[in-house]
Amino acid sequence: MAKTDEVIRVPFLMKMEYRYALGAYASRFFQELKDHGRLFGIRCPECERVYIPPRPVCGICFVETGEWVPVSDEGVLVGATVVRLPFIDPMTGERRPVPYGMGIIRLDGASTAMYHFVDETDDAKLKVGRRVKARIRANRKGNMRDIECFELVD
Amino acid sequence: MTSGVAIVGVAQTCYEAAKDHLAYNELVYEVVAKLLRETGVKMADIHSQITASQDMFDGKTISSMSVNEVVGGYLKSEAKVAADGLQAALYGAARILSGSFEYTLITAHAKESESRRPAVTVSMFDPFTQRPLGLHDAISSGLQAERYLHVSGVTEENMAELSRRRHLDAKKNPLAQRAGDFTTKQILESPQMAGPLREMMVSPSSDGACAVLLASAERASAFGKRAVWITGTGNCTDAYWTERDLAEARALELAAAKAYKAAGIRNPAKELDVAEISARCAFEEPMYADALQLFDGDPRAWIRQSAKGEGIAVNPSGGAITGNPTSVAGLTRLAEAYLQVSGQAGEHQVAGARTALAHAADGICGQGHTVVVLRGNSGN
Ligand SMILES: [Zn+2]
């Protein structure tokens, strides 16, 4: 076989379009957020955990969830990070400006946590255990960006 | 029915940032050819192959169908695992225990260099509540690192100490990607990624492949000391990343308990000679070593000890932090554990190693874990 030192690459851009169905539970969750700016979870009748976002089954008890319960727009950071790695945002195809804050937030009244922006880029301030509050937009579309971000409150 | 399953040979490529000169079938053929050459087993005698790869990294659904000819899969029973290759090894062992096959060839491959990791890893996340905010696995790891440090008291300096030691050990492993005598200062001053994680505390993007040949007890008997027994296995998957405490690895505790019970291990820290742990990021190693019961008490004390090369030998190969591809990293741990207990690890051989553990982590923030315990035929 003839040897070649030349590396030949084939670029291939695969643009794939999906249309994910939200389903009944997430639809109602986003409808509540859009119409009333409120966040709802769903309670497991057995272990009483409140899941957010809501879903049909409690994976721990393996029973169907039941009651919809409002959860607070305030909560606590259980994980936090200042992102400094520049990257192409897969949602927009554009380079996202760094740094910015991200957190895993457990809202008061919820048993599970959610992931969102936190309006803080100081490592010394963006710490696990800090209290945060959702900044909810006035103009809402029924998606996660209806929450603009969370802000530190204590 | 066979009375057990043994590993009779392993092969790895070297791990590199970009294997630009190799296509997938060439990459995997490199390890399969080496494995057959070294074991003397003919492909005609292997009727079962299980491959591990990630379709999103390969940019191809049914990504095993880039390598089927080179794993000898034509007109054989080939199956693909879309998880770490260590899970493929578990399925392979089950096939042999079923009595249907005498050998099973396990391979894992990935070339992370061919796609953009953030664009691939974003597809792991929930499309309704998480992806719209934009994220990838370095961000989820950063969030988890902050959580673990907060709960455990482990510091950035501790992570740097551990990272320094693993990169130093990797110098003795000719297949390692990022090896060197770095200072903790160099590690602490490497570029920040997310939260407390620096570039030198996280596995670099990596290309490579690994192959393992499993055999029935009957076939293994011909391999003498080169046959190493699988004495225990365990696998467990936890809740989603936003629904569990990211500072602990409960699924790993359960997977390990199952593997230890089968292997008759009561005190892992004393009875294991080597543990090859899949830790892409520095903070994962103490968290996983804790779940594997490799130490009791303060993880900071264990890190200081392990960084000095004392106590149970953890990742004498350097480990995944020095660079192993997704899906390959855990099978690499199995190959390295095999080399140790069969006395073939060369310069990074742990003297007298007889019992070893291999671990793989899958999913976001280590959602799933696989554990395999190996025992060599005699001390080395
Ligand atoms: Zn429940």
Side-chain angles (χ1 to χ4, degrees), chain B residues 332-348:
Chain B
T332 298
R333 306 277 73 72
L334 187 67
E336 286 292 333
Y338 165 84
L339 292 174
Q340 290 292 346
V341 295
S342 62
Q344 302 179 73
E347 237 195 298
H348 62 294

Side-chain angles (χ1 to χ4, degrees), chain A residues 43-49 51 57-63 65:
Chain A
R43 182 178 279 138
C44 167
E46 206 152 295
C47 68
E48 302 199 322
R49 278 185 181 80
Y51 286 94
V57 170
C58 169
I60 292 168
C61 306
F62 201 70
V63 297
T65 51

Side-chain angles (χ1 to χ4, degrees), chain A residues 11 35 37 43 67 69 76 78 151-152:
Chain A
D35 294 348
R43 182 178 279 138
E67 190 193 354
V69 288
V76 65
V78 294
E151 52 197 50
L152 297 175

Side-chain angles (χ1 to χ4, degrees), chain B residues 111-123:
Chain B
K111 291 178 78 180
E112 294 180 351
S113 68
E114 292 191 346
S115 58
R116 292 175 194 275
R117 188 176 182 94
V120 171
T121 60
V122 70
S123 64

